[in-house]
Amino acid sequence: MHEKIADIQNSFWAAYKDFIRTKDMRQYNMDLDKIMDRYRHDKPMHDFCISLKFAWAPIMNELKRWAT
């Protein structure tokens, strides 16, 4: 389980860092969709992905506002 949690958090961080570099919200959302899809058959990890997506949403929305 530890490896899955680390993969999810590292993947979210990579998507965030890519957004900071590119300011491309569409790509950010596609990156998150890939993470979610990777864990779609693992309910606890998929739920963790959903929780992180909701937790990051206010931050990403504010960054998106600044990027435009």
Side-chain angles (χ1 to χ4, degrees):
M1 182 181 286
H2 170 76
E3 293 81 14
K4 291 178 183 179
I5 292 170
D7 175 58
I8 292 166
Q9 290 186 313
N10 290 336
S11 297
F12 268 78
W13 185 248
Y16 163 77
K17 288 192 315 185
D18 190 52
F19 174 79
I20 292 300
R21 186 177 54 77
T22 65
K23 309 295 190 253
D24 186 348
M25 185 57 78
R26 174 184 240 159
Q27 182 61 49
Y28 175 79
N29 286 324
M30 289 186 333
D31 291 343
L32 292 192
D33 287 344
K34 288 177 193 173
I35 301 165
M36 305 282 286
D37 192 51
R38 194 162 56 233
Y39 290 96
R40 72 180 179 274
H41 297 299
D42 186 338
K43 177 130 175 64
M45 293 299 106
H46 189 260
D47 289 349
F48 181 55
C49 291
I50 291 169
S51 296
L52 283 178
K53 189 174 181 178
F54 283 132
W56 276 93
I59 296 161
M60 296 309 298
N61 286 332
E62 189 67 19
L63 289 173
K64 180 179 77 172
R65 194 173 63 85
W66 289 352
T68 57

